[in-house]
């Protein structure tokens, strides 16, 4: 029987600001079977694609990204908030609902042509993932796709990742 992962996602209304329904994945993270199943499903579309590195977006993308890296026998590359990475970085800034944000990656994170999979927890408007994909492409990665635990379909994020394979475990 397929496991209903939706049951492990908790909706928190008006967090972090009024009007937002925050999809809280801590119940899923805390359940051994649900966590294992979500990682299996995140990794499944990419099993035979020779993924060498999984890039995860700070912070929840680190949790799922490193588990998917282990599942695929790949390494892990962090995409971080500004000022956290110690060596030379590439940066990409993007627009959020309120203000802007920046992501950084080490400029020498991988060699050109490396097959890389992007992982994050939630695909909402797609701004974060689009900036992350831009960074991977600036490093000449071979981007095999972008995988998310949750896709918030009504926000249309998938359209902003045009040209990439986009997969999600749960569509809400
Ligand atoms: P976006 O750039 O709009 O696609 O937002 C994606 C990022 O914001 C992800 O890294 C998520 O962790 C976070 N995020 C956006 N909306 C939500 C939401 N409703 N619930 C939980 N996390 C969210």
């Amino acid at each position: 029987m397929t496991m209903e992962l939706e049951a492990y996602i908790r909706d928190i209304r008006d967090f972090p600001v009024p009007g937002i329904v925050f999809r809280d994945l801590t119940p899923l993270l805390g359940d051994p079977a649900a966590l294992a199943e979500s990682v299996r499903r995140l990794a499944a579309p990419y099993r035979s694609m020779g993924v060498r590195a999984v890039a995860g977006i700070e912070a929840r993308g680190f949790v799922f990204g490193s588990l998917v890296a282990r599942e695929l026998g790949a390494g892990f590359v962090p995409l971080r908030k500004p000022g956290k990475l110690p060596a030379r970085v590439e940066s990409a800034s993007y627009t959020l609902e309120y203000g802007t944000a920046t992501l950084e990656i080490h400029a020498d994170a991988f060699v050109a042509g490396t097959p890389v999979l992007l992982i994050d927890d939630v695909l909402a408007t797609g701004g974060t993932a689009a900036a992350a994909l831009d960074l991977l492409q600036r490093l000449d990665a071979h981007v095999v796709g972008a995988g998310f635990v949750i896709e918030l379909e009504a926000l249309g994020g998938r359209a902003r990742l045009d040209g990439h394979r986009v997969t999600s475990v749960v569509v809400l």
Side-chain angles (χ1 to χ4, degrees):
M1 209 181 85
T2 343
M3 192 174 187
E4 289 291 338
L5 292 176
E6 287 86 342
Y8 299 88
I9 301 167
R10 179 167 60 174
D11 287 357
I12 309 285
R13 291 191 183 278
D14 299 320
F15 183 90
V17 293
I20 300 288
V21 181
F22 191 85
R23 313 296 178 155
D24 177 24
L25 281 161
T26 59
L28 183 148
L29 288 171
D31 184 273
L35 180 59
E37 179 65 12
S38 64
V39 172
R40 264 195 299 275
R41 287 201 219 164
L42 270 170
Y46 305 101
R47 280 199 192 279
S48 57
M49 299 187 71
V51 174
R52 287 275 306 165
V54 172
I57 302 174
E58 188 171 357
R60 291 179 295 268
F62 287 3
V63 179
F64 290 102
S66 49
L67 289 167
V68 169
R70 188 68 191 81
E71 184 86 4
L72 294 176
F76 178 80
V77 171
L79 290 154
R80 296 212 65 178
K81 291 170 182 162
K84 302 283 189 186
L85 290 170
R88 194 166 68 80
V89 296
E90 285 284 337
S91 312
S93 293
Y94 57 101
T95 310
L96 292 172
E97 275 173 286
Y98 304 97
T100 63
T102 300
L103 278 179
E104 293 186 342
I105 189 170
H106 270 150
D108 62 353
F110 36 72
V111 296
T114 300
V116 178
L117 168 65
L118 177 69
I119 293 286
D120 201 7
D121 62 335
V122 176
L123 175 62
T125 65
T128 308
L133 289 168
D134 175 43
L135 286 175
L136 299 181
Q137 287 181 313
R138 272 151 60 184
L139 265 56
D140 291 323
H142 167 53
V143 178
V144 302
F148 303 88
V149 183
I150 299 173
E151 176 177 355
L152 301 176
E153 202 173 22
L155 296 180
R158 180 177 283 267
R160 293 192 51 187
L161 313 185
D162 208 18
H164 293 283
R165 181 175 192 189
V166 177
T167 57
S168 47
V169 173
V170 174
V171 179
L172 297 176

